[in-house]
Amino acid sequence: MAILKIARMGHPVLNQIAETVADPTDPEIAQLIGDMLDTLQDAAGIGLAAPQVHVSKRVVIFFVPESRNGEDEEDTPAELTVMINPVIEPLSDETNLDWEACLSVPDLMGAVERYSHIKYSWDTLEGNREERIASGFHARAVQHECDHLDGMLYPVRMSDFTLFGYAEDINRNIELMRRGHGLEDGAEPDLRIVEEG
Ligand code: NI
């Protein structure tokens, strides 16, 4: 087990389409996931994708803390989940705008439109296929992490760059920001959004 270096925006590994894992039970994948778990814990994050540790493979780890639990009954906390070859299917066209941050884009945050309701599936380390339905923050976290596997960082999903900036400053000016953009009360930023600790 080892703490790996996290790639930051500007490193080409973050822009590549990651490779499908042919054999999820390969011990090398278990080793990679062990190192990713150490790295996530060290960074105090809630999600990490393999390209963020310079490995262009379709592997994601994440959890949803109780504190992020939303009102929607499918916006549930999630225990630490290891996903190999994850696939997302939106369950409706409904989207919502909320804040995200990323361990590969330190200090910054931005508001991103995401699907509100999704189904997602993945291979486990034992080689089984599992699936879940999720909404709200839980669904957002999965979409953010899986975007890393397609070479996308959250800023490329943004449409309003006045909702992009230093987390410290956005948090300081949040009332003005919310009023100016008609954001819902629920869309309140804090420093523990989506990925960053
Ligand atoms: Ni990220």
Side-chain angles (χ1 to χ4, degrees), residues 64-100:
V64 179
E66 294 275 352
S67 60
R68 305 300 173 82
N69 205 356
E71 280 171 17
D72 193 304
E73 64 177 27
E74 283 154 5
D75 189 1
T76 53
E79 59 190 19
L80 188 62
T81 303
V82 171
M83 302 200 291
I84 301 165
N85 303 325
V87 173
I88 295 173
E89 185 191 326
L91 292 178
S92 76
D93 292 335
E94 188 188 332
T95 60
N96 68 93
L97 185 70
D98 212 337
W99 299 95
E100 297 190 13

Side-chain angles (χ1 to χ4, degrees), residues 13-68:
V13 72
L14 295 171
N15 305 127
Q16 291 168 14
I17 306 283
E19 218 177 87
T20 299
V21 176
D23 178 9
T25 66
D26 185 337
E28 270 185 32
I29 295 299
Q31 169 78 44
L32 167 66
I33 288 165
D35 291 346
M36 285 173 66
L37 292 168
D38 284 353
T39 306
L40 183 67
Q41 191 176 23
D42 178 68
I46 69 166
L48 189 68
Q52 292 182 276
V53 292
H54 307 82
V55 178
S56 194
K57 291 187 191 301
R58 303 189 81 80
V59 175
V60 158
I61 59 173
F62 83 103
F63 66 100
V64 179
E66 294 275 352
S67 60
R68 305 300 173 82

